[in-house]
Amino acid sequence: MLLATTPATGLACPEGTLADRLARQLASLHVHRVHVVTRAGNLPAIPSRPAVLLAEAATETLAGPVAEPDVTRSAGLTGDLRAVAEVARAVSGPLAVFPGDLVAHTEALALLLADPARGTGALVSPEHDGTPLRLPPIRAERGRVVAAGNSFHTVSGANGGFRGVLHVGEADLVSLADVAEELAGLAQEQRLGGAEETEVADLLLAGLVRVGVPVRAAPLGRLHCDRVTGQLSADAAIARLGEVDEDRARLEAAVKSDDGFVATYLVSSWSGHVVRLAARLGLTPNAVTGLSVGLAGLAAVAFSAGERRAQVAGAVLLYLSFVLDCVDGQLARYTRMFSPLGAWLDATFDRVKEYVVYVGLAVGYTGGVELGSTGPGGIWALAVVAMLVQAIRHMIDFSYAAARADTAGAGQVWERPGHGGSLGLPVALRRDPQGKPGAVITPGRRRVYGSVVRLSARLDRNTAARWLKKIVVLPIGERMVLISVTAALFNARVTFLALLAWGGLAALYTLTGRIARSL
C-alpha cells in the first residue's frame, strides 16, 4: 500500500520519479498488487503527471500477472487511515504500508517483503546512525518493537527509530484494520494532537504495539531507507545508496545474527564464500541440503569402520556436513528461494543425519561383533538413550513454542480495539513483563516471571554470559563439534557419554527456564 500523499512522491531520480523507482523495486521483490492512496492536485512539481498515472507507475513494471491498480483519493489523515482499514479487511495476504517519498535500498525493503515468515515487522535503525532527519522513536527489546512513538505518542527509553516501512502479516490484518479505524475516528475528532498527514505508518505502528500485536524489529544494518521532503534531500539520499555494497549487505543479512557460538565463529565467519559459489553454480537450497545429508552419510560410514584414521575422516566429513547445513539456509535467504518443502527437509534431515551418525559410531565401536545384548560396554543402549535425550529436548522446545503461540493468539482477541481500551490514551493490556499478550498475570506470577526475565536480560548484557547461555543448551553446531572431537580423539563410548551429560544438563536448563517463564 503506497501512500503517495506528498509532493515528494513525484521528485525526479535516475529511474524517473520516486514512484517509478519504488515500482521497479517492488517488481524485483515479486509484489503483484499495489494500492495507492493519493491526493487530488497535490503534485505541483510534476503537473504533467496526474495522480492516476502515479498509480499506474507503481504497477506497470511488476513481473508476472498484475491486477489493475487500485487508487484511493483521500482528503487527509482521516481518509488515509480509513483507506488502510478498508484494504486490510479486503486483502487475503500480508500487507505492507509505506510512504511514496521513500528512498531505500531494495535489500532494505526485502528485509520485510521477502521475509519467508511473512509476519508483522517494521524497519528500524539504531538511535544514532547518522540520519539527518529525526526519526519516530521506538524501543526494541529482544528483536521486538515494544514501544513506538510519533508526534502524539512519546516513548521512554527509546533506542532506535522507525524508518517508515510497516509489514503486517495475514494473522494481524484484523488488528490492523481495527487500529486504523479507531485512529481515523480519533483523527476526525482531532484527538491526535499535532499528528501530521505524513505519520500514517508511524501511528499504525504505535497502535499495533499498544494493542499487543508482536512486531518484529527488522534492523537496517548498513543499508539505507530514508524519507525525503525535497529534491535536494532526495538527491542526497540517492547518493547515500551508492556508498553501500548492496550485494555484500544482502549476503551479510543472509547470515543469522543470533546463532550459536560454533555456527557464528566456526562457520558463518567464512561460509559467505560458499554461499556465493553455490549461487553462481545455480545450486538450490534443497540441493545443498541433499549434499549435507550425503556428507553426513559418508561420515557415518567412516565412523562404522572403527579405525582411527576413519574416525578422523568421519569427524571432518561431519563438520563439513554441518557447514552445508548452515549454507542451505543462508543460500535460501540470499537468493530468496524459500519453500515449505525446503524448511521441512532442513528440519527433518537435521535429526536424520544426527541419528545416522549415532548408528555409525555404535557399529564402529562394536567392530562388527555383537557382544552381549547391548553391545560392548552397552554401546547400543547409550546410542538409544542419546537419541531419546535429543528427541525429548526438541519436544520441549517445539511444544513450548506452540503453547506460546496459542496463548498469544487467544490474548490478542481481547486486546484489539473495542475489547479493552482506546488508542488515544495509554492502554493497560493483559501482557507479560516482556510485552507479550497472554493470560492475566497475578502478582505472584509476575514476581517469578519478572525475576527470570530481569536475570536473563542482565546476563544478555554481558558478552561472555550471553555466549555461555547459548552454548549450555547444546545447539546443533555444538553437538556436531562435540561428536567430531570426541570421535576423532577417543571413541564412540566417550562420545555418547559426553552427549548424555551435556544433553541432560541442557534439557534441565531449558525445562527450568520454560517452567519459570510459564508460572
Side-chain angles (χ1 to χ4, degrees):
M1 192 166 185
L2 179 64
L3 302 173
T5 55
T6 67
T9 302
L11 292 174
C13 66
E15 293 83 359
T17 66
L18 295 188
D20 297 330
R21 188 175 190 283
L22 283 170
R24 287 177 173 82
Q25 290 177 303
L26 294 174
S28 68
L29 296 174
H30 305 290
V31 175
H32 297 289
R33 188 177 184 88
V34 176
H35 189 107
V36 180
V37 179
T38 187
R39 304 267 191 273
N42 73 333
L43 304 173
I46 46 171
S48 61
R49 192 175 181 85
V52 67
L53 292 183
L54 271 180
E56 294 174 357
T59 56
E60 63 187 2
T61 60
L62 299 182
V66 178
E68 287 295 319
D70 296 321
V71 184
T72 298
R73 287 186 175 83
S74 167
L77 179 60
T78 300
D80 296 347
L81 290 166
R82 290 213 164 108
V84 172
E86 181 180 348
V87 172
R89 290 194 174 97
V91 298
S92 58
L95 175 64
V97 180
F98 54 92
D101 52 15
L102 197 70
V103 176
H105 283 111
T106 301
E107 293 306 316
L109 301 179
L111 292 173
L112 291 178
L113 274 64
D115 178 36
R118 299 170 69 82
T120 299
L123 276 186
V124 302
S125 62
E127 185 176 9
H128 303 293
D129 68 343
T131 304
L133 295 179
R134 180 175 175 81
L135 299 172
I138 61 102
R139 186 172 74 252
E141 296 176 3
R142 295 176 174 268
R144 293 283 178 88
V145 178
V146 297
N150 43 64
S151 61
F152 180 62
H153 300 98
T154 60
V155 174
S156 60
N159 57 9
F162 176 47
R163 307 311 300 238
V165 182
L166 178 64
H167 184 271
V168 181
E170 185 175 359
D172 298 321
L173 287 176
V174 173
S175 293
L176 174 66
D178 291 344
V179 164
E181 194 65 52
E182 185 163 347
L183 284 168
L186 294 172
Q188 187 173 18
E189 297 169 4
Q190 297 184 343
R191 293 175 57 193
L192 289 180
E196 300 178 1
E197 296 180 356
T198 57
E199 296 185 79
V200 173
D202 309 344
L203 290 166
L204 291 173
L205 174 60
L208 289 174
V209 170
R210 281 172 164 254
V211 299
V213 173
V215 180
R216 179 174 69 93
L220 275 175
R222 66 171 67 218
L223 296 170
H224 296 307
C225 180
D226 301 308
R227 297 191 66 176
V228 298
T229 56
Q231 192 62 56
L232 289 178
S233 62
D235 293 342
I238 291 173
R240 289 183 70 202
L241 299 181
E243 299 171 0
V244 178
D245 184 342
E246 197 166 359
D247 183 71
R248 180 180 175 185
R250 178 174 177 175
L251 186 60
E252 291 175 351
V255 177
K256 290 182 179 179
S257 59
D258 191 33
D259 220 332
F261 183 87
V262 168
T264 299
Y265 291 105
L266 299 185
V267 177
S268 296
S269 57
W270 61 275
S271 62
H273 303 293
V274 183
V275 172
R276 273 206 175 106
L277 177 61
R280 291 195 187 107
L281 293 175
L283 295 177
T284 65
N286 290 349
V288 175
T289 300
L291 292 174
S292 175
V293 173
L295 288 179
L298 292 175
V301 171
F303 286 139
S304 69
E307 300 176 353
R308 180 59 57 196
R309 285 182 297 181
Q311 297 287 102
V312 173
V316 173
L317 289 169
L318 183 59
Y319 168 71
L320 294 177
S321 172
F322 176 65
V323 171
L324 293 184
D325 185 40
C326 295
V327 167
D328 61 3
Q330 294 171 1
L331 180 64
R333 289 184 288 272
Y334 180 67
T335 59
R336 302 196 187 104
M337 297 175 65
F338 306 111
S339 70
L341 174 63
W344 178 81
L345 288 175
D346 188 38
T348 301
F349 282 117
D350 278 350
R351 309 286 82 77
V352 171
K353 290 183 294 185
E354 188 171 355
Y355 297 157
V356 166
V357 166
Y358 288 1
V359 173
L361 285 167
V363 169
Y365 189 77
T366 62
V369 178
E370 189 72 23
L371 300 177
S373 60
T374 59
I379 194 67
W380 286 106
L382 289 175
V384 170
V385 174
M387 290 183 187
L388 289 175
V389 168
Q390 295 306 322
I392 291 171
R393 290 185 59 230
H394 293 304
M395 179 187 68
I396 292 172
D397 288 339
F398 286 113
S399 61
Y400 180 80
R404 294 289 297 184
D406 289 344
T407 301
Q412 284 182 32
V413 172
W414 297 99
E415 290 156 8
R416 289 174 184 156
H419 292 85
S422 167
L423 292 173
L425 296 172
V427 182
L429 298 177
R430 304 190 312 157
R431 298 187 293 184
D432 62 30
Q434 281 187 300
K436 296 177 182 178
V440 176
I441 301 176
T442 64
R445 292 176 63 194
R446 180 175 287 110
R447 282 194 296 271
V448 174
Y449 192 109
S451 298
V452 173
V453 173
R454 285 193 296 272
L455 175 60
S456 179
R458 280 198 298 270
L459 291 174
D460 283 343
R461 287 194 289 269
N462 182 281
T463 302
R466 179 167 57 86
W467 282 120
L468 182 60
K469 284 175 56 181
K470 290 178 176 292
I471 292 171
V472 73
V473 298
L474 193 60
I476 186 170
E478 277 69 5
R479 290 203 304 278
M480 295 301 102
V481 168
L482 178 64
I483 294 171
S484 297
V485 171
T486 54
L489 299 180
F490 304 102
N491 55 47
R493 180 178 175 79
V494 174
T495 298
F496 289 136
L497 289 174
L499 284 170
L500 287 174
W502 195 344
L505 175 63
L508 181 62
Y509 173 84
T510 302
L511 184 61
T512 302
R514 298 290 188 261
I515 292 174
R517 288 175 179 269
S518 301
L519 291 176

